[in-house]
Structures are given as C-alpha cells and as structure tokens.
Amino acid sequence: MQTLPRIPATVRISPFDAGGAGHGRLLVEAGERSFLVSPAAAALIAALRDSGEVEHVREVMAQAQGLPPTEAEIAQAIERLPRTLFTPDAESEPDRLFLFRWPLIGDRQIGRWAATLQGLFEVRVVTLVISVAVALVGAALVTERFGVVPGLGSVGESLAVFALLVLSALAHELGHAAACVRLGVQPGQVGAGIYAIFPVLYIDVSRAWRLPAQARALVDVGGMYFQLLVILLLVPLLAWEPTRHVAGTVIAFNAGWVLFNLNPVFKMDGYWLLADLTGTPNLQQRAFRYLGSLVTSRASRRPEGTRRERVIYVGYGLLVLGYLGIVVSSAPGWFARYLLPGVTASATAWRDVAAAWAGSGWGDVLVRALQAAGQSLLVGLPVLVFLLLVGRSVATLGRAFLAR
Ligand SMILES: [Zn+2]
C-alpha cells in the first residue's frame, strides 16, 4: 500500500453541540471550511492527522467498526473524506475565467499513459532535453534560420496544424499526469473546457495537493516540459521544405503558449509554480492585498506576515509588473514581424474567397472560406490573448489597489 495521505496538524476536531440536532457528531475545521462528521470519520481524520501510519489507522478503524479493515477499505474510507481536509490551505478562489468543463478521457486511461511516460522525468532525460533546447535556441539566435511566419497553407496543411495543436495540448496535460505518477499520486481525468473565450484541455490534478509544495512544483512544470518535448520533436521537420511550414506554425504556437502559460497574472502553470516554490497558498490574493495596503497606506487592512512573506509579496508584485512591461513593450515589434504578414495573408485568403465566389463552384468557395477563416483565427487569437492578458492584469491590479 502507498503511504497514506496526511492531514495537517491545523485541522481541528471538537464536539459539536447543536441542542440535539447534530447529536453525536463532531465538528471538523479545516482552514476556512468546517464539516460535521460521524465519530468513526472523526477518528479516522484524527489518525491521519496524528500519525498517518497504516497500522495506527487500521487500529482506529477496527475500534470504530469492530473488524480490522482491509487496505482497500482504508483507501475507500480515506477517499470518502472531504478533499479540503488534506489541503486546508489550498487556493480557495477558483479561476472564474474557467467557464465550462466536459470530461473527455477517464483517469484510468490517463494513469496508464502517464505511467508509460513518467521515465521522461528522469534526471538524465531532463538534462538532455534542456541541453538540446538551449543549443537550439542558441543556434536559432545566431543563425536566425528557424524563423517561420506562422500561417496556414493548403487544406491538408491546415488540418495537420490543427491536429498537431490538439496533440500538443494533450501532451501538455499528460506532462502534468506523468509528473503526478512520478511522485506517487494518481492523476485525474482529462477534459475539454472554455477558458475565457479559448477552447482548452485541462486535467484534474487535485490529488497533487496532498504533496508537499516543492514536490507540486514538478507537477506544475510537467505540462510545459512535455510541450518543450513536442517542439524538439518537430524541429527536424523544419529542415524539410514540405513540412517546414506546418512544423514552424505548430512550434510558434507551442512556444507562445508556454510563454503565456508562464505569466504570473492568470492562475495558470507559471502562477502555481511560483506559489508552490515559495510555499505561499493564495499568493495572488495575499500579495495584492498587502501591496494594496502599502500603496493606499491603509495599515489597518495590511495582512500580518513574516519578513519572508512580505519579501515574497513584493517580489510577486514586481514580477507581475515586469511581465506586463515585457509583453507591452515587445508587442509593437512582434506585431510588425509576425502579425502584419499574417494580416496580409488573411486579406489574400478572403480575396480568393471572393474570386472563387464569382467564378468556380460551391465546393471551391467553401474550402477557401474555411482556409481564410483559419488564417484569420491564426492572426486574431494572439491579439485576443494579448488584449485579455493586459485587460485582466489592469482589472486585477485595480481591484487590489482600489478595494475599499
Ligand atoms: Zn498546464
């Protein structure tokens, strides 16, 4: 049996007096949440909090139910406990930009794939991958040879780009899953959803909250690490003219997605990485509340904290400003280099639609219209991401600093 998940010492259990209504139940307080549980469940919670030893838990459960439980029964009983008990400090405010979720691939299948892929986290492999990536970036900078203006060519190429982007997204989620398995935690299911306006894949890694924060950091970077692997696999295709454009477009998208993912503003992988490496749950909320109280000099609202925490809050604030600075200042150059050619290509594609409309049959018009729409999306999506990033940052900063 794997080690049992521990419940932190901060979880409190006390008798619950409800004048008869909750008779015999106990009050369990974890962070800002509280639960009423049966005496047996309270005993289990106490056992997981005080020792976590399998034997100790077995004894406690044997006393409660009369028979010593099997390992499966222990696992089941633990599974029935509220998740927050294990992670009372977990981020309490979910990202409201996540609008819809649909499950796609079950946790068993994900677990199997992740088990096969977890070897990619071996130190030797990681060292090799990072060395190759650094060498490639260096070579690209020196020779300026890998630059491909992202765009959709023929219908076949467009479909290839789309398929490879979906596979890249799946690879990213499997990266999180493989990191979980590596650390002895079962990953959850993969689903599709809408984040703000963007279709995305997501994975349920809530069980990773049972890990110590520093170990969770591996789960945080796992997705981006696997995307880096996808990029490296595609690089050789840049050398071959027929695949150059598709590979270049997919690489550009993946690289851009990783950079976006690293942003400290949204609760995406970069933010979790930061929160876990510094061991600061609710980092954003706490940091902005602290910085806001500094700026508006409302000392009464200032959260208490150790010197280390205050350094982390200020560091986080500087990082947010720095990231925004880089994004905004590099935008004009980036627009000129990648976006203008894309806009031109879009315009041409739409002109082709018009020409086909005047001449050839419906099939041709439809194909060209689809291509033109795809091309426009390729240009429009990064612009939307940029606007969303800046807009959200301004709103977040504003809420933090102007809050009453
Ligand atoms: Zn991720």
Side-chain angles (χ1 to χ4, degrees):
M1 175 160 201
Q2 288 180 342
T3 50
L4 296 177
R6 295 298 305 275
I7 289 177
T10 49
V11 169
R12 296 199 311 164
I13 305 171
S14 50
F16 180 70
D17 183 7
H23 186 68
R25 312 216 103 199
L26 289 111
L27 178 70
V28 176
E29 293 166 274
E32 285 159 24
R33 315 242 341 239
S34 44
F35 311 88
L36 283 180
V37 300
S38 67
L44 175 61
I45 292 167
L48 289 171
R49 181 191 61 188
D50 300 334
S51 115
E53 296 281 315
V54 178
E55 272 319 303
H56 180 59
V57 172
R58 192 191 299 271
E59 262 169 46
V60 167
M61 284 180 70
Q63 270 173 20
Q65 64 185 29
L67 274 173
T70 62
E71 291 191 352
E73 282 170 332
I74 296 181
Q76 265 174 20
I78 291 175
E79 204 63 37
R80 275 198 298 268
L81 295 175
R83 294 270 69 86
T84 9
L85 286 178
F86 299 93
T87 60
D89 296 330
E91 203 88 0
S92 54
E93 181 199 349
D95 199 321
R96 276 186 228 103
L97 285 183
F98 227 120
L99 301 181
F100 299 100
R101 288 160 184 264
W102 299 281
L104 282 185
I105 310 172
D107 53 353
R108 278 161 183 271
Q109 183 61 53
I110 293 299
R112 274 196 289 272
W113 285 338
T116 318
L117 293 167
Q118 59 150 325
L120 291 167
F121 284 100
E122 262 171 47
V123 177
R124 287 174 301 171
V125 183
V126 173
T127 315
L128 179 72
V129 168
I130 291 176
S131 315
V132 172
V134 169
L136 276 175
V137 170
L141 287 178
V142 172
T143 61
E144 292 194 345
R145 284 197 62 173
F146 299 133
V148 173
V149 173
L152 297 167
S154 63
V155 175
E157 283 178 329
S158 314
L159 289 176
V161 166
F162 181 73
L164 284 170
L165 287 179
V166 173
L167 284 178
S168 306
L170 185 61
H172 177 104
E173 304 312 331
L174 281 176
H176 290 305
C180 281
V181 170
R182 180 94 197 157
L183 297 165
V185 172
Q186 175 69 34
Q189 62 185 7
V190 163
I194 301 285
Y195 187 82
I197 47 170
F198 308 107
V200 291
L201 291 185
Y202 68 86
I203 184 166
D204 169 20
V205 288
S206 51
R207 290 195 191 95
W209 277 109
R210 294 177 190 173
L211 295 166
Q214 265 81 5
R216 245 176 3 237
L218 187 73
V219 178
D220 300 330
V221 291
M224 291 183 281
Y225 172 60
F226 269 39
Q227 255 179 310
L228 181 64
L229 287 172
V230 169
I231 292 178
L232 294 185
L233 286 176
L234 289 171
V235 164
L237 296 180
L238 289 175
W240 195 42
E241 199 47 44
T243 51
R244 191 174 135 80
H245 217 75
V246 169
T249 303
V250 176
I251 288 176
F253 242 84
N254 272 301
W257 186 248
V258 168
L259 288 180
F260 180 52
N261 223 332
L262 277 174
N263 86 77
V265 183
F266 294 92
K267 286 179 179 172
M268 300 175 79
D269 295 333
Y271 170 76
W272 297 116
L273 182 63
L274 218 56
D276 287 339
L277 282 180
T278 56
T280 319
N282 287 316
L283 171 62
Q284 186 174 80
Q285 207 183 327
R286 290 205 217 169
F288 282 150
R289 201 185 298 156
Y290 176 73
L291 295 172
S293 73
L294 283 188
V295 171
T296 54
S297 51
R298 284 196 197 98
S300 60
R301 285 174 44 85
R302 188 166 305 161
E304 293 152 36
T306 60
R307 193 183 136 75
R308 180 179 178 276
E309 282 168 344
R310 292 198 299 270
V311 169
I312 290 171
Y313 298 154
V314 172
Y316 175 73
L318 290 176
L319 207 66
V320 168
L321 290 178
Y323 189 90
L324 280 179
I326 291 172
V327 167
V328 171
S329 65
S330 63
W334 183 81
F335 274 68
R337 248 176 101 182
Y338 294 107
L339 229 47
L340 284 184
V343 170
T344 315
S346 284
T348 313
W350 285 111
R351 251 201 311 279
D352 288 349
V353 177
W357 189 285
S360 34
W362 282 107
D364 194 33
V365 174
L366 194 69
V367 168
R368 283 178 193 282
L370 280 177
Q371 265 178 291
Q375 183 70 51
S376 305
L377 203 67
L378 213 57
V379 179
L381 220 54
V383 177
L384 283 175
V385 170
F386 175 79
L387 292 177
L388 190 72
L389 188 64
V390 174
R392 172 74 180 255
S393 311
V394 171
T396 307
L397 289 170
R399 246 202 320 277
F401 289 117
L402 302 177
R404 292 157 312 279

PDB file of all heavy atoms in Angstrom, residues 131-165:
ATOM      1  N   SER A 131      19.467  20.591 -22.464  1.00  0.00           N
ATOM      2  CA  SER A 131      20.675  20.933 -23.223  1.00  0.00           C
ATOM      3  C   SER A 131      20.347  21.132 -24.692  1.00  0.00           C
ATOM      4  O   SER A 131      20.783  22.110 -25.313  1.00  0.00           O
ATOM      5  CB  SER A 131      21.731  19.835 -23.100  1.00  0.00           C
ATOM      6  OG  SER A 131      21.848  19.420 -21.779  1.00  0.00           O
ATOM      7  N   VAL A 132      19.586  20.189 -25.265  1.00  0.00           N
ATOM      8  CA  VAL A 132      19.239  20.291 -26.688  1.00  0.00           C
ATOM      9  C   VAL A 132      18.435  21.572 -26.942  1.00  0.00           C
ATOM     10  O   VAL A 132      18.685  22.300 -27.897  1.00  0.00           O
ATOM     11  CB  VAL A 132      18.429  19.050 -27.143  1.00  0.00           C
ATOM     12  CG1 VAL A 132      17.906  19.236 -28.550  1.00  0.00           C
ATOM     13  CG2 VAL A 132      19.287  17.800 -27.059  1.00  0.00           C
ATOM     14  N   ALA A 133      17.483  21.858 -26.041  1.00  0.00           N
ATOM     15  CA  ALA A 133      16.648  23.050 -26.221  1.00  0.00           C
ATOM     16  C   ALA A 133      17.498  24.314 -26.189  1.00  0.00           C
ATOM     17  O   ALA A 133      17.352  25.195 -27.047  1.00  0.00           O
ATOM     18  CB  ALA A 133      15.576  23.101 -25.143  1.00  0.00           C
ATOM     19  N   VAL A 134      18.412  24.386 -25.209  1.00  0.00           N
ATOM     20  CA  VAL A 134      19.266  25.577 -25.103  1.00  0.00           C
ATOM     21  C   VAL A 134      20.132  25.713 -26.346  1.00  0.00           C
ATOM     22  O   VAL A 134      20.269  26.810 -26.925  1.00  0.00           O
ATOM     23  CB  VAL A 134      20.137  25.501 -23.819  1.00  0.00           C
ATOM     24  CG1 VAL A 134      21.210  26.570 -23.831  1.00  0.00           C
ATOM     25  CG2 VAL A 134      19.251  25.642 -22.590  1.00  0.00           C
ATOM     26  N   ALA A 135      20.701  24.578 -26.812  1.00  0.00           N
ATOM     27  CA  ALA A 135      21.541  24.609 -28.005  1.00  0.00           C
ATOM     28  C   ALA A 135      20.746  25.103 -29.213  1.00  0.00           C
ATOM     29  O   ALA A 135      21.226  25.927 -30.005  1.00  0.00           O
ATOM     30  CB  ALA A 135      22.102  23.215 -28.283  1.00  0.00           C
ATOM     31  N   LEU A 136      19.516  24.625 -29.338  1.00  0.00           N
ATOM     32  CA  LEU A 136      18.682  25.015 -30.487  1.00  0.00           C
ATOM     33  C   LEU A 136      18.338  26.499 -30.444  1.00  0.00           C
ATOM     34  O   LEU A 136      18.399  27.188 -31.462  1.00  0.00           O
ATOM     35  CB  LEU A 136      17.391  24.196 -30.506  1.00  0.00           C
ATOM     36  CG  LEU A 136      17.499  22.826 -31.161  1.00  0.00           C
ATOM     37  CD1 LEU A 136      16.189  22.086 -31.001  1.00  0.00           C
ATOM     38  CD2 LEU A 136      17.846  22.976 -32.636  1.00  0.00           C
ATOM     39  N   VAL A 137      17.964  26.972 -29.248  1.00  0.00           N
ATOM     40  CA  VAL A 137      17.629  28.392 -29.134  1.00  0.00           C
ATOM     41  C   VAL A 137      18.854  29.231 -29.480  1.00  0.00           C
ATOM     42  O   VAL A 137      18.772  30.211 -30.224  1.00  0.00           O
ATOM     43  CB  VAL A 137      17.117  28.721 -27.709  1.00  0.00           C
ATOM     44  CG1 VAL A 137      16.992  30.217 -27.514  1.00  0.00           C
ATOM     45  CG2 VAL A 137      15.773  28.047 -27.475  1.00  0.00           C
ATOM     46  N   GLY A 138      20.031  28.785 -28.983  1.00  0.00           N
ATOM     47  CA  GLY A 138      21.264  29.487 -29.293  1.00  0.00           C
ATOM     48  C   GLY A 138      21.515  29.518 -30.792  1.00  0.00           C
ATOM     49  O   GLY A 138      21.775  30.579 -31.371  1.00  0.00           O
ATOM     50  N   ALA A 139      21.394  28.343 -31.426  1.00  0.00           N
ATOM     51  CA  ALA A 139      21.629  28.254 -32.866  1.00  0.00           C
ATOM     52  C   ALA A 139      20.649  29.146 -33.627  1.00  0.00           C
ATOM     53  O   ALA A 139      21.010  29.826 -34.586  1.00  0.00           O
ATOM     54  CB  ALA A 139      21.487  26.801 -33.323  1.00  0.00           C
ATOM     55  N   ALA A 140      19.387  29.150 -33.157  1.00  0.00           N
ATOM     56  CA  ALA A 140      18.370  29.958 -33.836  1.00  0.00           C
ATOM     57  C   ALA A 140      18.715  31.438 -33.725  1.00  0.00           C
ATOM     58  O   ALA A 140      18.573  32.200 -34.685  1.00  0.00           O
ATOM     59  CB  ALA A 140      16.998  29.680 -33.233  1.00  0.00           C
ATOM     60  N   LEU A 141      19.193  31.839 -32.537  1.00  0.00           N
ATOM     61  CA  LEU A 141      19.519  33.251 -32.336  1.00  0.00           C
ATOM     62  C   LEU A 141      20.710  33.661 -33.202  1.00  0.00           C
ATOM     63  O   LEU A 141      20.725  34.735 -33.789  1.00  0.00           O
ATOM     64  CB  LEU A 141      19.837  33.514 -30.855  1.00  0.00           C
ATOM     65  CG  LEU A 141      18.634  33.495 -29.916  1.00  0.00           C
ATOM     66  CD1 LEU A 141      19.083  33.715 -28.484  1.00  0.00           C
ATOM     67  CD2 LEU A 141      17.609  34.550 -30.315  1.00  0.00           C
ATOM     68  N   VAL A 142      21.724  32.766 -33.273  1.00  0.00           N
ATOM     69  CA  VAL A 142      22.937  33.100 -34.014  1.00  0.00           C
ATOM     70  C   VAL A 142      22.683  33.109 -35.516  1.00  0.00           C
ATOM     71  O   VAL A 142      23.072  34.030 -36.228  1.00  0.00           O
ATOM     72  CB  VAL A 142      24.060  32.085 -33.655  1.00  0.00           C
ATOM     73  CG1 VAL A 142      25.265  32.303 -34.553  1.00  0.00           C
ATOM     74  CG2 VAL A 142      24.457  32.249 -32.200  1.00  0.00           C
ATOM     75  N   THR A 143      21.976  32.078 -36.000  1.00  0.00           N
ATOM     76  CA  THR A 143      21.841  31.955 -37.462  1.00  0.00           C
ATOM     77  C   THR A 143      20.551  32.577 -37.990  1.00  0.00           C
ATOM     78  O   THR A 143      20.416  32.805 -39.179  1.00  0.00           O
ATOM     79  CB  THR A 143      21.831  30.470 -37.871  1.00  0.00           C
ATOM     80  OG1 THR A 143      20.705  29.843 -37.231  1.00  0.00           O
ATOM     81  CG2 THR A 143      23.097  29.777 -37.423  1.00  0.00           C
ATOM     82  N   GLU A 144      19.608  32.856 -37.098  1.00  0.00           N
ATOM     83  CA  GLU A 144      18.285  33.372 -37.483  1.00  0.00           C
ATOM     84  C   GLU A 144      17.660  32.505 -38.567  1.00  0.00           C
ATOM     85  O   GLU A 144      17.040  32.984 -39.502  1.00  0.00           O
ATOM     86  CB  GLU A 144      18.398  34.816 -37.986  1.00  0.00           C
ATOM     87  CG  GLU A 144      18.779  35.775 -36.873  1.00  0.00           C
ATOM     88  CD  GLU A 144      18.555  37.215 -37.277  1.00  0.00           C
ATOM     89  OE1 GLU A 144      18.392  37.460 -38.484  1.00  0.00           O
ATOM     90  OE2 GLU A 144      18.535  38.067 -36.368  1.00  0.00           O
ATOM     91  N   ARG A 145      17.833  31.180 -38.420  1.00  0.00           N
ATOM     92  CA  ARG A 145      17.382  30.301 -39.502  1.00  0.00           C
ATOM     93  C   ARG A 145      16.029  29.653 -39.262  1.00  0.00           C
ATOM     94  O   ARG A 145      15.394  29.180 -40.194  1.00  0.00           O
ATOM     95  CB  ARG A 145      18.416  29.193 -39.732  1.00  0.00           C
ATOM     96  CG  ARG A 145      19.617  29.708 -40.474  1.00  0.00           C
ATOM     97  CD  ARG A 145      20.396  28.587 -41.043  1.00  0.00           C
ATOM     98  NE  ARG A 145      19.617  27.834 -42.019  1.00  0.00           N
ATOM     99  CZ  ARG A 145      20.138  26.879 -42.761  1.00  0.00           C
ATOM    100  NH1 ARG A 145      21.385  26.550 -42.619  1.00  0.00           N
ATOM    101  NH2 ARG A 145      19.401  26.222 -43.619  1.00  0.00           N
ATOM    102  N   PHE A 146      15.598  29.588 -38.010  1.00  0.00           N
ATOM    103  CA  PHE A 146      14.395  28.807 -37.741  1.00  0.00           C
ATOM    104  C   PHE A 146      13.111  29.615 -37.866  1.00  0.00           C
ATOM    105  O   PHE A 146      12.029  29.106 -37.654  1.00  0.00           O
ATOM    106  CB  PHE A 146      14.467  28.169 -36.349  1.00  0.00           C
ATOM    107  CG  PHE A 146      15.616  27.224 -36.197  1.00  0.00           C
ATOM    108  CD1 PHE A 146      16.447  27.273 -35.089  1.00  0.00           C
ATOM    109  CD2 PHE A 146      15.873  26.285 -37.182  1.00  0.00           C
ATOM    110  CE1 PHE A 146      17.507  26.398 -34.963  1.00  0.00           C
ATOM    111  CE2 PHE A 146      16.939  25.413 -37.060  1.00  0.00           C
ATOM    112  CZ  PHE A 146      17.765  25.471 -35.946  1.00  0.00           C
ATOM    113  N   GLY A 147      13.255  30.900 -38.160  1.00  0.00           N
ATOM    114  CA  GLY A 147      12.065  31.746 -38.213  1.00  0.00           C
ATOM    115  C   GLY A 147      11.121  31.355 -39.335  1.00  0.00           C
ATOM    116  O   GLY A 147      11.494  31.351 -40.496  1.00  0.00           O
ATOM    117  N   VAL A 148       9.897  31.011 -38.978  1.00  0.00           N
ATOM    118  CA  VAL A 148       8.861  30.720 -39.971  1.00  0.00           C
ATOM    119  C   VAL A 148       7.686  31.610 -39.622  1.00  0.00           C
ATOM    120  O   VAL A 148       7.270  31.656 -38.461  1.00  0.00           O
ATOM    121  CB  VAL A 148       8.428  29.242 -39.903  1.00  0.00           C
ATOM    122  CG1 VAL A 148       7.245  28.986 -40.817  1.00  0.00           C
ATOM    123  CG2 VAL A 148       9.571  28.333 -40.271  1.00  0.00           C
ATOM    124  N   VAL A 149       7.174  32.356 -40.571  1.00  0.00           N
ATOM    125  CA  VAL A 149       5.980  33.148 -40.284  1.00  0.00           C
ATOM    126  C   VAL A 149       4.809  32.181 -40.202  1.00  0.00           C
ATOM    127  O   VAL A 149       4.515  31.473 -41.172  1.00  0.00           O
ATOM    128  CB  VAL A 149       5.729  34.203 -41.378  1.00  0.00           C
ATOM    129  CG1 VAL A 149       4.399  34.892 -41.135  1.00  0.00           C
ATOM    130  CG2 VAL A 149       6.860  35.219 -41.374  1.00  0.00           C
ATOM    131  N   PRO A 150       4.164  32.096 -39.024  1.00  0.00           N
ATOM    132  CA  PRO A 150       3.082  31.121 -38.884  1.00  0.00           C
ATOM    133  C   PRO A 150       1.965  31.408 -39.883  1.00  0.00           C
ATOM    134  O   PRO A 150       1.622  32.555 -40.122  1.00  0.00           O
ATOM    135  CB  PRO A 150       2.584  31.342 -37.453  1.00  0.00           C
ATOM    136  CG  PRO A 150       3.668  32.093 -36.768  1.00  0.00           C
ATOM    137  CD  PRO A 150       4.367  32.879 -37.808  1.00  0.00           C
ATOM    138  N   GLY A 151       1.450  30.379 -40.473  1.00  0.00           N
ATOM    139  CA  GLY A 151       0.357  30.574 -41.418  1.00  0.00           C
ATOM    140  C   GLY A 151      -0.178  29.229 -41.845  1.00  0.00           C
ATOM    141  O   GLY A 151       0.429  28.197 -41.608  1.00  0.00           O
ATOM    142  N   LEU A 152      -1.356  29.241 -42.431  1.00  0.00           N
ATOM    143  CA  LEU A 152      -1.959  28.007 -42.914  1.00  0.00           C
ATOM    144  C   LEU A 152      -1.812  27.976 -44.413  1.00  0.00           C
ATOM    145  O   LEU A 152      -2.125  28.943 -45.086  1.00  0.00           O
ATOM    146  CB  LEU A 152      -3.437  27.967 -42.535  1.00  0.00           C
ATOM    147  CG  LEU A 152      -3.734  27.958 -41.038  1.00  0.00           C
ATOM    148  CD1 LEU A 152      -5.183  28.244 -40.794  1.00  0.00           C
ATOM    149  CD2 LEU A 152      -3.322  26.626 -40.451  1.00  0.00           C
ATOM    150  N   GLY A 153      -1.306  26.868 -44.933  1.00  0.00           N
ATOM    151  CA  GLY A 153      -1.180  26.750 -46.380  1.00  0.00           C
ATOM    152  C   GLY A 153      -2.417  26.093 -46.965  1.00  0.00           C
ATOM    153  O   GLY A 153      -3.527  26.602 -46.833  1.00  0.00           O
ATOM    154  N   SER A 154      -2.213  24.923 -47.556  1.00  0.00           N
ATOM    155  CA  SER A 154      -3.317  24.201 -48.191  1.00  0.00           C
ATOM    156  C   SER A 154      -4.279  23.672 -47.124  1.00  0.00           C
ATOM    157  O   SER A 154      -4.018  23.766 -45.931  1.00  0.00           O
ATOM    158  CB  SER A 154      -2.746  23.027 -48.973  1.00  0.00           C
ATOM    159  OG  SER A 154      -2.126  22.139 -48.066  1.00  0.00           O
ATOM    160  N   VAL A 155      -5.376  23.076 -47.568  1.00  0.00           N
ATOM    161  CA  VAL A 155      -6.334  22.477 -46.640  1.00  0.00           C
ATOM    162  C   VAL A 155      -5.661  21.372 -45.833  1.00  0.00           C
ATOM    163  O   VAL A 155      -5.822  21.278 -44.615  1.00  0.00           O
ATOM    164  CB  VAL A 155      -7.545  21.907 -47.420  1.00  0.00           C
ATOM    165  CG1 VAL A 155      -8.489  21.176 -46.472  1.00  0.00           C
ATOM    166  CG2 VAL A 155      -8.264  23.011 -48.144  1.00  0.00           C
ATOM    167  N   GLY A 156      -4.853  20.554 -46.523  1.00  0.00           N
ATOM    168  CA  GLY A 156      -4.145  19.469 -45.840  1.00  0.00           C
ATOM    169  C   GLY A 156      -3.259  20.014 -44.736  1.00  0.00           C
ATOM    170  O   GLY A 156      -3.230  19.486 -43.623  1.00  0.00           O
ATOM    171  N   GLU A 157      -2.527  21.081 -45.046  1.00  0.00           N
ATOM    172  CA  GLU A 157      -1.636  21.671 -44.044  1.00  0.00           C
ATOM    173  C   GLU A 157      -2.422  22.231 -42.857  1.00  0.00           C
ATOM    174  O   GLU A 157      -2.014  22.095 -41.709  1.00  0.00           O
ATOM    175  CB  GLU A 157      -0.780  22.773 -44.679  1.00  0.00           C
ATOM    176  CG  GLU A 157       0.366  22.206 -45.516  1.00  0.00           C
ATOM    177  CD  GLU A 157       1.183  23.297 -46.183  1.00  0.00           C
ATOM    178  OE1 GLU A 157       0.615  24.361 -46.517  1.00  0.00           O
ATOM    179  OE2 GLU A 157       2.383  23.082 -46.381  1.00  0.00           O
ATOM    180  N   SER A 158      -3.554  22.883 -43.160  1.00  0.00           N
ATOM    181  CA  SER A 158      -4.382  23.433 -42.077  1.00  0.00           C
ATOM    182  C   SER A 158      -4.832  22.334 -41.137  1.00  0.00           C
ATOM    183  O   SER A 158      -4.778  22.484 -39.914  1.00  0.00           O
ATOM    184  CB  SER A 158      -5.632  24.128 -42.640  1.00  0.00           C
ATOM    185  OG  SER A 158      -5.285  24.938 -43.714  1.00  0.00           O
ATOM    186  N   LEU A 159      -5.285  21.219 -41.727  1.00  0.00           N
ATOM    187  CA  LEU A 159      -5.751  20.105 -40.898  1.00  0.00           C
ATOM    188  C   LEU A 159      -4.596  19.548 -40.065  1.00  0.00           C
ATOM    189  O   LEU A 159      -4.769  19.220 -38.888  1.00  0.00           O
ATOM    190  CB  LEU A 159      -6.348  18.996 -41.775  1.00  0.00           C
ATOM    191  CG  LEU A 159      -7.689  19.349 -42.428  1.00  0.00           C
ATOM    192  CD1 LEU A 159      -8.149  18.228 -43.347  1.00  0.00           C
ATOM    193  CD2 LEU A 159      -8.744  19.622 -41.363  1.00  0.00           C
ATOM    194  N   ALA A 160      -3.403  19.462 -40.689  1.00  0.00           N
ATOM    195  CA  ALA A 160      -2.234  18.952 -39.968  1.00  0.00           C
ATOM    196  C   ALA A 160      -1.905  19.867 -38.799  1.00  0.00           C
ATOM    197  O   ALA A 160      -1.625  19.400 -37.687  1.00  0.00           O
ATOM    198  CB  ALA A 160      -1.042  18.841 -40.914  1.00  0.00           C
ATOM    199  N   VAL A 161      -1.953  21.189 -39.018  1.00  0.00           N
ATOM    200  CA  VAL A 161      -1.673  22.148 -37.942  1.00  0.00           C
ATOM    201  C   VAL A 161      -2.670  21.953 -36.807  1.00  0.00           C
ATOM    202  O   VAL A 161      -2.296  21.838 -35.634  1.00  0.00           O
ATOM    203  CB  VAL A 161      -1.740  23.606 -38.457  1.00  0.00           C
ATOM    204  CG1 VAL A 161      -1.794  24.593 -37.299  1.00  0.00           C
ATOM    205  CG2 VAL A 161      -0.546  23.907 -39.348  1.00  0.00           C
ATOM    206  N   PHE A 162      -3.962  21.865 -37.152  1.00  0.00           N
ATOM    207  CA  PHE A 162      -5.000  21.716 -36.135  1.00  0.00           C
ATOM    208  C   PHE A 162      -4.783  20.439 -35.330  1.00  0.00           C
ATOM    209  O   PHE A 162      -4.800  20.451 -34.097  1.00  0.00           O
ATOM    210  CB  PHE A 162      -6.382  21.719 -36.796  1.00  0.00           C
ATOM    211  CG  PHE A 162      -7.499  21.591 -35.810  1.00  0.00           C
ATOM    212  CD1 PHE A 162      -7.844  22.655 -34.996  1.00  0.00           C
ATOM    213  CD2 PHE A 162      -8.195  20.396 -35.685  1.00  0.00           C
ATOM    214  CE1 PHE A 162      -8.863  22.532 -34.070  1.00  0.00           C
ATOM    215  CE2 PHE A 162      -9.220  20.259 -34.765  1.00  0.00           C
ATOM    216  CZ  PHE A 162      -9.557  21.333 -33.959  1.00  0.00           C
ATOM    217  N   ALA A 163      -4.549  19.322 -36.062  1.00  0.00           N
ATOM    218  CA  ALA A 163      -4.361  18.038 -35.375  1.00  0.00           C
ATOM    219  C   ALA A 163      -3.145  18.092 -34.454  1.00  0.00           C
ATOM    220  O   ALA A 163      -3.196  17.614 -33.307  1.00  0.00           O
ATOM    221  CB  ALA A 163      -4.202  16.921 -36.399  1.00  0.00           C
ATOM    222  N   LEU A 164      -2.056  18.689 -34.923  1.00  0.00           N
ATOM    223  CA  LEU A 164      -0.839  18.744 -34.107  1.00  0.00           C
ATOM    224  C   LEU A 164      -1.027  19.645 -32.883  1.00  0.00           C
ATOM    225  O   LEU A 164      -0.454  19.396 -31.824  1.00  0.00           O
ATOM    226  CB  LEU A 164       0.342  19.234 -34.948  1.00  0.00           C
ATOM    227  CG  LEU A 164       0.913  18.180 -35.906  1.00  0.00           C
ATOM    228  CD1 LEU A 164       1.910  18.804 -36.879  1.00  0.00           C
ATOM    229  CD2 LEU A 164       1.589  17.055 -35.121  1.00  0.00           C
ATOM    230  N   LEU A 165      -1.852  20.682 -33.033  1.00  0.00           N
ATOM    231  CA  LEU A 165      -2.104  21.557 -31.879  1.00  0.00           C
ATOM    232  C   LEU A 165      -2.926  20.819 -30.820  1.00  0.00           C
ATOM    233  O   LEU A 165      -2.668  20.955 -29.626  1.00  0.00           O
ATOM    234  CB  LEU A 165      -2.827  22.836 -32.314  1.00  0.00           C
ATOM    235  CG  LEU A 165      -1.956  23.848 -33.076  1.00  0.00           C
ATOM    236  CD1 LEU A 165      -2.770  25.063 -33.490  1.00  0.00           C
ATOM    237  CD2 LEU A 165      -0.762  24.276 -32.232  1.00  0.00           C
TER     238      LEU A 165
END
